[in-house]
Amino acid sequence: MSAALDNAELAEAVRMLRDSAAGLASRGGDRRRVRALRFQPPGFDPAVLAAMAEQGWIGLLLPEQKGGAGLGMTALCALAEELGAALAPEPLVPAMLSGSLLAAAGADMPLERLVAGEALVLAAWQEAPSTLEAPGTPGAPRLFIPQAGGASAFLVPVRQAQGLELWLQPAEGAALQLEKTQDGGFFGTLRPEGGALLGSIGEDAVADALEQATLATAATLLGVMDQAFVLTLDYLRTRQQFGRPIGSFQALQHRAADLQIQIALSRASIAAAAALLDDGSTSRAARRAAVSRAKARASDAALLVTRQAIQLHGGIGYTDEADISLYLRRAMVLANQFGSAALHRRRFAAEAHDDMLGEDAA
């Protein structure tokens, strides 16, 4: 985050981001748009992603000299929450991850095109399920690339004797396989085949970019569960049984209160992790522990809230025609992106222990 921003300025920047998000992807959202894009390649609207780029969202974390806004994780998490609540399928967080990697590698030309919305470059870093490591194994298939069918190129970290190199592989002619996801999008599996060498990239830079994407995904899950809860409360207030709204039944009120607590705890852990990353003065172990705590909680809570929301809607909630089902589907896909809850619980235990011992890898 820019050091020039004080608390009041940051609060105003966050408010403006939420307002601008409402213009492109409202919380109350046009879920007809989401339904129309489901299972139709590339799974999102390139024009909407380009509009997000025009708003400066792809470069939100980048310094101003790199064409970015110079904001931090608190601002990004607010934006990601709004997009999660709107079920926006556009791959903004993956695009921002690519922006961070390109900036770290000093690849200014592809970075400029990405930030301007002229090209969608997606990072092909993952080689195994539920991991937050980018080993860069030469020739190994890169898995779970979100909305890969809409990419113009892929960023492929490759390990050489001297360290990690970042390669830019054009999407045209690439060995790419697409698989449908529960929410109507697509994951891509890429078999790396050369491309253009952009330069070397530090492993810490890759790790930091993945931490940011992980926390932004947790914030997206927060938006998903929060809006699912809002829809459920509306349903409980309007659905009549025995001559009165079902929301007046004490048993359902208790269930709703439990869900609200889970949402509040997730929001608090995400806000704390974002503040820690923006501060930057704490140990690397402490930052990783905070991100893992937020992601584990958000993944578990989002699945709990959306599943309970389905049940509280009754039989209609189990149908694909019910909008509430869209939120469960999105939570199921996002919950394991950038590491499952189980992985992050293990990592939290390890990193929090290391931090208590004073092991500072920063």
Side-chain angles (χ1 to χ4, degrees):
M1 182 178 67
S2 172
L5 286 181
D6 60 22
N7 290 337
E9 291 171 327
L10 177 59
E12 178 62 14
V14 168
R15 185 194 65 78
M16 293 177 64
L17 274 172
R18 291 188 187 274
D19 288 346
S20 62
L24 281 178
S26 171
R27 273 181 172 260
D30 183 2
R31 288 180 285 272
R32 290 176 298 180
R33 179 183 91 89
V34 176
R35 289 185 177 278
L37 292 169
R38 289 199 306 164
F39 307 119
Q40 304 297 318
F44 66 95
D45 188 343
V48 171
L49 184 62
M52 292 177 177
E54 290 176 7
Q55 294 285 340
W57 295 353
I58 294 178
L60 195 71
L61 295 179
L62 299 175
E64 294 179 5
Q65 59 267 31
K66 293 289 186 179
L71 295 176
M73 287 304 303
T74 297
L76 172 55
C77 286
L79 175 61
E81 180 188 342
E82 295 300 315
L83 297 182
L87 296 176
E90 284 70 32
L92 180 67
V93 172
M96 297 178 77
L97 169 62
S98 296
S100 296
L101 296 178
L102 288 169
D108 292 338
M109 183 59 69
L111 178 60
E112 290 177 6
R113 298 195 65 216
L114 172 67
V115 171
E118 298 172 359
L120 175 58
V121 182
L122 295 177
W125 60 275
Q126 192 169 354
E127 298 178 27
S130 189
T131 182
L132 205 58
E133 303 293 334
T137 308
R142 302 308 201 261
L143 313 176
F144 307 114
I145 307 170
Q147 308 293 44
S152 54
F154 299 98
L155 287 180
V156 184
V158 178
R159 186 171 300 281
Q160 302 295 344
Q162 66 274 22
L164 280 177
E165 294 179 343
L166 196 63
W167 290 74
L168 184 69
Q169 180 176 338
E172 185 176 358
L176 180 68
Q177 180 180 353
L178 298 179
E179 296 288 344
K180 296 178 181 178
T181 58
Q182 280 283 347
D183 62 347
F186 296 85
F187 278 156
T189 298
L190 175 73
R191 189 168 295 279
E193 296 176 349
L197 176 60
L198 297 176
S200 61
I201 184 169
E203 296 197 37
D204 284 349
V206 175
D208 288 345
L210 290 174
E211 297 296 330
Q212 294 168 347
T214 300
L215 187 55
T217 302
T220 307
L221 282 163
L222 173 61
V224 171
M225 70 175 104
D226 189 51
Q227 187 61 23
F229 184 66
V230 168
L231 291 180
T232 302
L233 289 183
D234 289 343
Y235 183 80
L236 294 178
R237 294 187 187 106
T238 57
R239 177 74 167 89
Q240 297 278 327
Q241 197 170 55
F242 305 115
R244 56 178 176 153
I246 62 175
S248 65
F249 301 149
Q250 193 174 59
L252 298 186
Q253 290 175 358
H254 288 168
R255 290 175 67 178
D258 289 341
L259 299 182
Q260 191 169 25
I261 290 171
Q262 292 299 318
I263 294 170
L265 290 172
S266 297
R267 187 182 304 279
S269 64
I270 291 167
L276 208 62
L277 264 62
D278 285 342
D279 178 60
S281 63
T282 54
S283 69
R284 187 174 293 275
R287 296 195 295 271
R288 286 195 294 251
V291 169
S292 282
R293 179 179 59 189
K295 180 58 165 62
R297 181 173 288 282
S299 294
D300 284 342
L303 291 175
L304 173 65
V305 171
T306 53
R307 285 169 176 162
Q308 288 287 312
I310 294 286
Q311 293 184 18
L312 289 168
H313 273 75
I316 188 64
Y318 289 87
T319 66
D320 186 64
E321 290 77 10
D323 283 343
I324 195 64
S325 68
L326 299 175
Y327 293 84
L328 173 59
R329 290 177 178 273
R330 181 59 53 85
M332 291 171 66
V333 172
L334 291 176
N336 288 331
Q337 281 190 17
F338 299 102
S340 65
L343 177 142
H344 281 288
R345 280 192 291 269
R346 292 193 300 270
R347 198 177 76 141
F348 173 79
E351 300 292 357
H353 179 262
D354 287 349
D355 186 55
M356 290 176 63
L357 294 176
E359 295 182 13
D360 186 358

